[in-house]
Amino acid sequence: QVQLVESGGGVVQPGGSLRLSCAASGFTFSSYGMHWVRLAPGKGLEWVAFIQYDGSNKYYADHVKGRFTISRDNSKNTLYLQINSLRPEDTTVYYCAKDLDYGRLFMDVWGKGTTVTVSS
Amino acid sequence: IVLTQSPGTLSLSPGEGATLSCRASQSVRSNLAWYQRKPGQAPRLLIYDVFNRATGVPARFSGSGSGTEFTLTISSLQSEDFAVYYCQQYNNWPLTFGGGTKVEIK
């Protein structure tokens, strides 16, 4: 079945870096755009970044531009999120999610999330 | 585009109907989706393109609206429907979600 499994979360000090991964299975990963979404405390779901099926286009939320980098390896069916200069407010659950179809930009399959904690 | 959801919390009993609102700061045409999130679970796509139910979503969930005003209606709440609901616009970058409406058991 279609499945997304995130990993790479953990506890990191402010200013540190982390790379999140999302392993995809059950569908042709290279045919779909992919998203990262996080659960902002007290604010609900917060879209973070999107990458086109072939990696040619990437889009970011304004508040993460310059610190977050989305990437993918279609040969490994894996999505990544590199997070640099981590701040306490980045502490939350990060989800990867699959686009329903080309260019649709909403998410029909989600992982269960990986938790990032930024603390000294 | 800012999406404002109301109310913040709905306290209802099983069997009652629920009406959730999502207002956009500018037109998103028909590019609006709704999601359900339960604690510890992955969010679930319910509705896309304002009124299309995602695969496997029960018919008691329906969406309506256009432009800047949208509604998610749950016709008769089942126990599994008590959750937080979010709208999302995909008309403009950056993509945005509303702040959520929590539907809780009264």
Side-chain angles (χ1 to χ4, degrees), chain A residues 35 37 39 42-47 50 59-62 95 100 104-112, chain B residues 31 33 35 37 40-45 47-49 86 88-90 93-100:
Chain A
H35 302 261
V37 178
L39 187 60
K43 295 182 181 180
L45 294 174
E46 186 176 67
W47 175 78
F50 168 81
Y59 298 87
Y60 297 91
D62 290 342
Y95 299 100
L100 176 74
R104 294 314 320 270
L105 300 178
F106 56 88
M107 308 95 183
D108 69 328
V109 179
W110 296 65
K112 293 187 176 181
Chain B
N31 297 313
Y35 300 85
R37 190 184 68 82
Q41 294 187 21
R44 175 193 183 194
L45 175 67
I47 301 283
Y48 61 94
D49 295 345
Y86 298 92
Q88 179 231 333
Q89 68 81 21
Y90 44 96
W93 297 104
L95 308 182
T96 49
F97 287 90

Short mmCIF file of all heavy atoms in Angstrom, two decimals, chain A residues 35 37 39 42-47 50 59-62 95 100 104-112, chain B residues 31 33 35 37 40-45 47-49 86 88-90 93-100:
data_model
loop_
_atom_site.label_atom_id
_atom_site.label_comp_id
_atom_site.label_asym_id
_atom_site.label_seq_id
_atom_site.Cartn_x
_atom_site.Cartn_y
_atom_site.Cartn_z
N HIS A 35 5.66 17.22 -0.41
CA HIS A 35 5.61 18.34 0.51
C HIS A 35 6.20 17.96 1.86
O HIS A 35 6.16 16.79 2.26
CB HIS A 35 4.17 18.76 0.79
CG HIS A 35 3.37 19.15 -0.41
ND1 HIS A 35 3.17 20.47 -0.76
CD2 HIS A 35 2.70 18.40 -1.32
CE1 HIS A 35 2.41 20.50 -1.84
NE2 HIS A 35 2.11 19.26 -2.20
N VAL A 37 5.27 19.38 5.73
CA VAL A 37 4.31 20.17 6.51
C VAL A 37 4.64 19.93 7.97
O VAL A 37 5.01 18.82 8.35
CB VAL A 37 2.86 19.72 6.22
CG1 VAL A 37 1.86 20.51 7.08
CG2 VAL A 37 2.53 19.88 4.74
N LEU A 39 3.56 20.72 12.26
CA LEU A 39 2.44 21.02 13.15
C LEU A 39 2.91 22.10 14.10
O LEU A 39 3.60 21.82 15.09
CB LEU A 39 2.04 19.76 13.92
CG LEU A 39 0.79 19.86 14.78
CD1 LEU A 39 -0.42 20.21 13.94
CD2 LEU A 39 0.57 18.54 15.50
N GLY A 42 0.12 25.36 18.79
CA GLY A 42 -0.89 26.39 18.96
C GLY A 42 -1.37 27.02 17.66
O GLY A 42 -2.25 27.87 17.67
N LYS A 43 -0.82 26.57 16.54
CA LYS A 43 -1.18 27.19 15.26
C LYS A 43 -1.72 26.18 14.26
O LYS A 43 -2.23 26.57 13.23
CB LYS A 43 0.03 27.90 14.65
CG LYS A 43 0.55 29.09 15.45
CD LYS A 43 1.72 29.75 14.74
CE LYS A 43 2.26 30.92 15.52
NZ LYS A 43 3.42 31.56 14.82
N GLY A 44 -1.56 24.93 14.51
CA GLY A 44 -2.06 23.94 13.57
C GLY A 44 -1.05 23.61 12.49
O GLY A 44 0.14 23.84 12.62
N LEU A 45 -1.56 23.07 11.39
CA LEU A 45 -0.70 22.64 10.30
C LEU A 45 -0.08 23.85 9.61
O LEU A 45 -0.74 24.88 9.39
CB LEU A 45 -1.49 21.82 9.28
CG LEU A 45 -2.03 20.48 9.78
CD1 LEU A 45 -2.91 19.84 8.71
CD2 LEU A 45 -0.90 19.56 10.17
N GLU A 46 1.18 23.70 9.26
CA GLU A 46 1.93 24.78 8.61
C GLU A 46 2.71 24.20 7.45
O GLU A 46 3.62 23.38 7.66
CB GLU A 46 2.86 25.42 9.64
CG GLU A 46 3.60 26.65 9.19
CD GLU A 46 4.42 27.23 10.33
OE1 GLU A 46 5.40 26.55 10.75
OE2 GLU A 46 4.11 28.32 10.79
N TRP A 47 2.39 24.60 6.22
CA TRP A 47 3.11 24.13 5.06
C TRP A 47 4.53 24.66 5.09
O TRP A 47 4.75 25.83 5.41
CB TRP A 47 2.39 24.56 3.79
CG TRP A 47 3.13 24.21 2.55
CD1 TRP A 47 3.19 22.98 1.96
CD2 TRP A 47 3.93 25.08 1.76
NE1 TRP A 47 3.99 23.04 0.83
CE2 TRP A 47 4.45 24.32 0.69
CE3 TRP A 47 4.26 26.43 1.84
CZ2 TRP A 47 5.27 24.87 -0.28
CZ3 TRP A 47 5.08 26.98 0.89
CH2 TRP A 47 5.58 26.20 -0.17
N PHE A 50 7.76 22.43 -0.86
CA PHE A 50 7.30 21.54 -1.93
C PHE A 50 8.42 21.35 -2.94
O PHE A 50 9.17 22.28 -3.23
CB PHE A 50 6.08 22.14 -2.61
CG PHE A 50 5.70 21.45 -3.89
CD1 PHE A 50 4.96 20.27 -3.85
CD2 PHE A 50 6.06 21.96 -5.13
CE1 PHE A 50 4.60 19.62 -5.03
CE2 PHE A 50 5.71 21.33 -6.30
CZ PHE A 50 4.98 20.15 -6.26
N TYR A 59 9.60 25.17 -3.72
CA TYR A 59 8.94 26.33 -3.15
C TYR A 59 8.99 26.20 -1.63
O TYR A 59 8.92 25.09 -1.10
CB TYR A 59 7.48 26.41 -3.60
CG TYR A 59 7.32 26.57 -5.08
CD1 TYR A 59 7.28 25.47 -5.92
CD2 TYR A 59 7.22 27.84 -5.65
CE1 TYR A 59 7.14 25.61 -7.29
CE2 TYR A 59 7.07 27.99 -7.02
CZ TYR A 59 7.04 26.88 -7.82
OH TYR A 59 6.90 27.04 -9.18
N TYR A 60 9.09 27.35 -0.96
CA TYR A 60 9.23 27.35 0.49
C TYR A 60 8.27 28.37 1.13
O TYR A 60 7.96 29.41 0.54
CB TYR A 60 10.65 27.73 0.89
CG TYR A 60 11.71 26.76 0.43
CD1 TYR A 60 12.35 26.94 -0.80
CD2 TYR A 60 12.06 25.67 1.21
CE1 TYR A 60 13.32 26.04 -1.23
CE2 TYR A 60 13.04 24.77 0.79
CZ TYR A 60 13.66 24.96 -0.43
OH TYR A 60 14.62 24.08 -0.86
N ALA A 61 7.89 28.08 2.36
CA ALA A 61 7.20 29.08 3.16
C ALA A 61 8.18 30.20 3.48
O ALA A 61 9.39 29.96 3.64
CB ALA A 61 6.68 28.45 4.46
N ASP A 62 7.67 31.40 3.57
CA ASP A 62 8.54 32.57 3.77
C ASP A 62 9.41 32.43 5.02
O ASP A 62 10.57 32.82 5.03
CB ASP A 62 7.70 33.84 3.86
CG ASP A 62 7.06 34.21 2.53
OD1 ASP A 62 7.54 33.71 1.49
OD2 ASP A 62 6.10 35.00 2.54
N TYR A 95 5.83 16.39 8.98
CA TYR A 95 5.21 15.38 8.13
C TYR A 95 5.69 15.53 6.70
O TYR A 95 5.84 16.65 6.20
CB TYR A 95 3.69 15.54 8.10
CG TYR A 95 2.98 15.42 9.42
CD1 TYR A 95 2.58 16.56 10.12
CD2 TYR A 95 2.65 14.17 9.95
CE1 TYR A 95 1.89 16.46 11.32
CE2 TYR A 95 1.96 14.07 11.15
CZ TYR A 95 1.59 15.20 11.82
OH TYR A 95 0.90 15.10 13.00
N LEU A 100 -1.62 14.83 -4.69
CA LEU A 100 -2.58 13.92 -5.29
C LEU A 100 -2.18 13.59 -6.72
O LEU A 100 -2.23 12.44 -7.15
CB LEU A 100 -3.98 14.54 -5.28
CG LEU A 100 -5.05 13.71 -5.98
CD1 LEU A 100 -5.42 12.50 -5.11
CD2 LEU A 100 -6.29 14.53 -6.29
N ARG A 104 -1.32 19.48 -8.52
CA ARG A 104 -2.54 19.71 -7.75
C ARG A 104 -2.30 20.45 -6.45
O ARG A 104 -3.14 21.19 -6.00
CB ARG A 104 -3.28 18.39 -7.47
CG ARG A 104 -3.84 17.68 -8.71
CD ARG A 104 -4.57 18.59 -9.67
NE ARG A 104 -5.41 19.59 -9.10
CZ ARG A 104 -6.71 19.42 -8.81
NH1 ARG A 104 -7.28 18.27 -9.02
NH2 ARG A 104 -7.41 20.42 -8.32
N LEU A 105 -1.16 20.22 -5.84
CA LEU A 105 -0.68 20.98 -4.68
C LEU A 105 -1.52 20.81 -3.42
O LEU A 105 -1.57 21.69 -2.57
CB LEU A 105 -0.54 22.47 -5.03
CG LEU A 105 0.44 22.74 -6.19
CD1 LEU A 105 0.48 24.24 -6.49
CD2 LEU A 105 1.83 22.22 -5.85
N PHE A 106 -2.21 19.71 -3.30
CA PHE A 106 -2.77 19.31 -2.01
C PHE A 106 -2.40 17.85 -1.79
O PHE A 106 -1.97 17.16 -2.70
CB PHE A 106 -4.28 19.55 -1.95
CG PHE A 106 -5.06 18.88 -3.02
CD1 PHE A 106 -5.52 17.58 -2.87
CD2 PHE A 106 -5.36 19.55 -4.20
CE1 PHE A 106 -6.24 16.95 -3.87
CE2 PHE A 106 -6.07 18.94 -5.20
CZ PHE A 106 -6.51 17.63 -5.03
N MET A 107 -2.53 17.39 -0.54
CA MET A 107 -1.83 16.18 -0.10
C MET A 107 -2.78 15.03 0.19
O MET A 107 -3.59 15.13 1.12
CB MET A 107 -1.00 16.49 1.17
CG MET A 107 -0.10 17.69 1.02
SD MET A 107 -0.93 19.18 1.66
CE MET A 107 0.28 20.45 1.29
N ASP A 108 -2.65 13.95 -0.57
CA ASP A 108 -3.57 12.83 -0.37
C ASP A 108 -3.01 11.72 0.50
O ASP A 108 -3.76 10.87 0.96
CB ASP A 108 -4.04 12.28 -1.72
CG ASP A 108 -2.93 11.57 -2.48
OD1 ASP A 108 -1.76 11.97 -2.34
OD2 ASP A 108 -3.25 10.62 -3.23
N VAL A 109 -1.71 11.68 0.71
CA VAL A 109 -1.10 10.67 1.57
C VAL A 109 -0.08 11.36 2.46
O VAL A 109 0.72 12.17 1.97
CB VAL A 109 -0.40 9.56 0.75
CG1 VAL A 109 0.24 8.54 1.70
CG2 VAL A 109 -1.39 8.86 -0.18
N TRP A 110 -0.13 11.02 3.74
CA TRP A 110 0.76 11.63 4.72
C TRP A 110 1.48 10.55 5.51
O TRP A 110 0.96 9.47 5.73
CB TRP A 110 -0.05 12.46 5.72
CG TRP A 110 -0.79 13.63 5.17
CD1 TRP A 110 -1.83 13.60 4.29
CD2 TRP A 110 -0.59 15.00 5.51
NE1 TRP A 110 -2.27 14.88 4.04
CE2 TRP A 110 -1.54 15.75 4.78
CE3 TRP A 110 0.29 15.68 6.36
CZ2 TRP A 110 -1.62 17.15 4.88
CZ3 TRP A 110 0.21 17.06 6.47
CH2 TRP A 110 -0.73 17.78 5.73
N GLY A 111 2.68 10.89 5.94
CA GLY A 111 3.36 10.03 6.90
C GLY A 111 2.86 10.32 8.30
O GLY A 111 2.04 11.21 8.51
N LYS A 112 3.38 9.59 9.26
CA LYS A 112 2.97 9.77 10.64
C LYS A 112 3.81 10.82 11.36
O LYS A 112 3.50 11.19 12.50
CB LYS A 112 3.03 8.44 11.39
CG LYS A 112 1.99 7.45 10.89
CD LYS A 112 1.93 6.21 11.75
CE LYS A 112 0.82 5.29 11.26
NZ LYS A 112 0.71 4.06 12.08
N ASN B 31 -9.75 26.35 -5.37
CA ASN B 31 -8.55 25.61 -4.97
C ASN B 31 -8.44 25.50 -3.45
O ASN B 31 -7.55 26.08 -2.81
CB ASN B 31 -7.31 26.29 -5.56
CG ASN B 31 -7.32 26.25 -7.07
OD1 ASN B 31 -7.59 25.21 -7.68
ND2 ASN B 31 -7.06 27.41 -7.69
N ALA B 33 -8.95 22.71 -0.05
CA ALA B 33 -9.07 21.34 0.47
C ALA B 33 -9.33 21.38 1.97
O ALA B 33 -9.04 22.38 2.64
CB ALA B 33 -7.79 20.56 0.18
N TYR B 35 -8.86 18.88 5.58
CA TYR B 35 -8.17 17.73 6.17
C TYR B 35 -8.69 17.51 7.59
O TYR B 35 -9.13 18.45 8.27
CB TYR B 35 -6.66 17.98 6.26
CG TYR B 35 -5.98 18.22 4.95
CD1 TYR B 35 -5.95 19.50 4.40
CD2 TYR B 35 -5.39 17.18 4.25
CE1 TYR B 35 -5.35 19.74 3.19
CE2 TYR B 35 -4.76 17.42 3.02
CZ TYR B 35 -4.75 18.71 2.51
OH TYR B 35 -4.14 18.93 1.31
N ARG B 37 -7.41 15.84 11.31
CA ARG B 37 -6.25 15.36 12.06
C ARG B 37 -6.66 14.90 13.44
O ARG B 37 -7.35 15.62 14.17
CB ARG B 37 -5.18 16.44 12.17
CG ARG B 37 -3.85 15.91 12.74
CD ARG B 37 -2.85 17.05 12.93
NE ARG B 37 -3.26 17.96 13.98
CZ ARG B 37 -3.08 17.76 15.27
NH1 ARG B 37 -2.49 16.67 15.70
NH2 ARG B 37 -3.49 18.67 16.14
N GLY B 40 -1.79 12.00 17.29
CA GLY B 40 -0.93 10.86 17.05
C GLY B 40 -1.10 10.18 15.71
O GLY B 40 -0.45 9.18 15.43
N GLN B 41 -1.97 10.74 14.87
CA GLN B 41 -2.20 10.14 13.56
C GLN B 41 -1.80 11.10 12.44
O GLN B 41 -1.69 12.31 12.65
CB GLN B 41 -3.68 9.79 13.39
CG GLN B 41 -4.17 8.70 14.33
CD GLN B 41 -5.59 8.26 14.00
OE1 GLN B 41 -6.08 8.47 12.88
NE2 GLN B 41 -6.26 7.67 14.97
N ALA B 42 -1.59 10.53 11.27
CA ALA B 42 -1.32 11.35 10.10
C ALA B 42 -2.58 12.11 9.71
O ALA B 42 -3.69 11.56 9.81
CB ALA B 42 -0.87 10.47 8.95
N PRO B 43 -2.45 13.35 9.27
CA PRO B 43 -3.62 14.05 8.74
C PRO B 43 -4.22 13.27 7.56
O PRO B 43 -3.53 12.51 6.88
CB PRO B 43 -3.05 15.39 8.28
CG PRO B 43 -1.83 15.60 9.12
CD PRO B 43 -1.25 14.21 9.29
N ARG B 44 -5.51 13.49 7.34
CA ARG B 44 -6.24 12.76 6.29
C ARG B 44 -6.94 13.75 5.38
O ARG B 44 -7.65 14.63 5.86
CB ARG B 44 -7.27 11.84 6.94
CG ARG B 44 -8.20 11.11 6.00
CD ARG B 44 -9.35 10.50 6.81
NE ARG B 44 -10.27 9.72 5.98
CZ ARG B 44 -11.47 9.31 6.39
NH1 ARG B 44 -11.87 9.61 7.61
NH2 ARG B 44 -12.23 8.62 5.59
N LEU B 45 -6.74 13.61 4.07
CA LEU B 45 -7.44 14.44 3.11
C LEU B 45 -8.91 14.04 3.08
O LEU B 45 -9.24 12.87 2.91
CB LEU B 45 -6.83 14.28 1.72
CG LEU B 45 -7.53 15.00 0.57
CD1 LEU B 45 -7.40 16.51 0.72
CD2 LEU B 45 -6.95 14.54 -0.77
N ILE B 47 -11.58 16.49 1.55
CA ILE B 47 -12.24 17.19 0.45
C ILE B 47 -11.19 17.95 -0.34
O ILE B 47 -10.27 18.54 0.25
CB ILE B 47 -13.28 18.19 0.99
CG1 ILE B 47 -14.35 17.52 1.85
CG2 ILE B 47 -13.90 19.02 -0.15
CD1 ILE B 47 -15.41 16.77 1.08
N TYR B 48 -11.32 17.97 -1.67
CA TYR B 48 -10.47 18.81 -2.49
C TYR B 48 -11.31 19.49 -3.56
O TYR B 48 -12.44 19.06 -3.83
CB TYR B 48 -9.31 18.02 -3.12
CG TYR B 48 -9.74 16.91 -4.04
CD1 TYR B 48 -9.85 17.12 -5.41
CD2 TYR B 48 -10.05 15.65 -3.54
CE1 TYR B 48 -10.24 16.11 -6.26
CE2 TYR B 48 -10.44 14.63 -4.38
CZ TYR B 48 -10.53 14.85 -5.74
OH TYR B 48 -10.93 13.85 -6.57
N ASP B 49 -10.77 20.56 -4.14
CA ASP B 49 -11.52 21.35 -5.12
C ASP B 49 -12.90 21.74 -4.58
O ASP B 49 -13.91 21.68 -5.30
CB ASP B 49 -11.65 20.58 -6.44
CG ASP B 49 -10.32 20.36 -7.13
OD1 ASP B 49 -9.34 21.03 -6.76
OD2 ASP B 49 -10.26 19.51 -8.03
N TYR B 86 -8.82 21.17 9.20
CA TYR B 86 -8.08 22.28 8.61
C TYR B 86 -8.49 22.47 7.16
O TYR B 86 -8.68 21.50 6.43
CB TYR B 86 -6.57 22.00 8.63
CG TYR B 86 -5.97 21.83 10.00
CD1 TYR B 86 -5.87 20.58 10.57
CD2 TYR B 86 -5.49 22.93 10.71
CE1 TYR B 86 -5.32 20.41 11.83
CE2 TYR B 86 -4.92 22.77 11.97
CZ TYR B 86 -4.85 21.51 12.52
OH TYR B 86 -4.30 21.34 13.76
N GLN B 88 -7.11 24.24 3.50
CA GLN B 88 -5.84 24.57 2.85
C GLN B 88 -6.13 25.13 1.47
O GLN B 88 -6.92 24.57 0.73
CB GLN B 88 -4.95 23.34 2.70
CG GLN B 88 -3.61 23.60 2.02
CD GLN B 88 -3.31 22.66 0.88
OE1 GLN B 88 -3.78 21.52 0.83
NE2 GLN B 88 -2.49 23.12 -0.07
N GLN B 89 -5.45 26.23 1.14
CA GLN B 89 -5.60 26.79 -0.21
C GLN B 89 -4.37 26.44 -1.03
O GLN B 89 -3.23 26.42 -0.52
CB GLN B 89 -5.83 28.30 -0.16
CG GLN B 89 -4.67 29.16 0.31
CD GLN B 89 -3.63 29.43 -0.76
OE1 GLN B 89 -3.88 29.33 -1.97
NE2 GLN B 89 -2.41 29.81 -0.33
N TYR B 90 -4.60 26.17 -2.29
CA TYR B 90 -3.50 25.85 -3.21
C TYR B 90 -3.63 26.67 -4.48
O TYR B 90 -3.25 26.23 -5.57
CB TYR B 90 -3.42 24.34 -3.49
CG TYR B 90 -4.73 23.65 -3.75
CD1 TYR B 90 -5.20 23.44 -5.04
CD2 TYR B 90 -5.50 23.18 -2.69
CE1 TYR B 90 -6.40 22.79 -5.27
CE2 TYR B 90 -6.71 22.53 -2.91
CZ TYR B 90 -7.15 22.34 -4.20
OH TYR B 90 -8.36 21.70 -4.41
N TRP B 93 1.15 30.55 -4.16
CA TRP B 93 2.30 30.31 -3.29
C TRP B 93 2.44 31.50 -2.33
O TRP B 93 2.25 32.63 -2.75
CB TRP B 93 3.59 30.16 -4.09
CG TRP B 93 3.61 29.00 -5.02
CD1 TRP B 93 3.46 29.05 -6.37
CD2 TRP B 93 3.75 27.61 -4.67
NE1 TRP B 93 3.52 27.79 -6.88
CE2 TRP B 93 3.71 26.88 -5.88
CE3 TRP B 93 3.95 26.93 -3.47
CZ2 TRP B 93 3.84 25.49 -5.90
CZ3 TRP B 93 4.08 25.55 -3.50
CH2 TRP B 93 4.02 24.86 -4.71
N PRO B 94 2.81 31.27 -1.08
CA PRO B 94 2.98 29.95 -0.46
C PRO B 94 1.64 29.30 -0.14
O PRO B 94 0.65 29.99 0.13
CB PRO B 94 3.74 30.28 0.82
CG PRO B 94 3.29 31.65 1.18
CD PRO B 94 3.10 32.36 -0.13
N LEU B 95 1.61 27.99 -0.19
CA LEU B 95 0.42 27.27 0.24
C LEU B 95 0.17 27.59 1.71
O LEU B 95 1.12 27.78 2.49
CB LEU B 95 0.63 25.77 0.08
CG LEU B 95 1.10 25.28 -1.30
CD1 LEU B 95 1.19 23.75 -1.31
CD2 LEU B 95 0.22 25.79 -2.41
N THR B 96 -1.08 27.66 2.10
CA THR B 96 -1.40 27.98 3.48
C THR B 96 -2.54 27.13 4.02
O THR B 96 -3.43 26.71 3.25
CB THR B 96 -1.76 29.46 3.65
OG1 THR B 96 -2.73 29.83 2.67
CG2 THR B 96 -0.55 30.36 3.50
N PHE B 97 -2.50 26.91 5.32
CA PHE B 97 -3.56 26.22 6.04
C PHE B 97 -4.26 27.21 6.95
O PHE B 97 -3.67 28.20 7.40
CB PHE B 97 -2.98 25.11 6.93
CG PHE B 97 -2.49 23.90 6.20
CD1 PHE B 97 -1.18 23.82 5.76
CD2 PHE B 97 -3.33 22.82 5.95
CE1 PHE B 97 -0.71 22.70 5.09
CE2 PHE B 97 -2.88 21.69 5.29
CZ PHE B 97 -1.56 21.63 4.86
N GLY B 98 -5.50 26.91 7.26
CA GLY B 98 -6.19 27.63 8.30
C GLY B 98 -5.73 27.16 9.66
O GLY B 98 -4.99 26.17 9.78
N GLY B 99 -6.15 27.87 10.70
CA GLY B 99 -5.72 27.56 12.04
C GLY B 99 -6.40 26.37 12.68
O GLY B 99 -5.97 25.90 13.74
N GLY B 100 -7.43 25.86 12.03
CA GLY B 100 -8.08 24.65 12.51
C GLY B 100 -9.34 24.90 13.32
O GLY B 100 -9.48 25.94 13.99
#
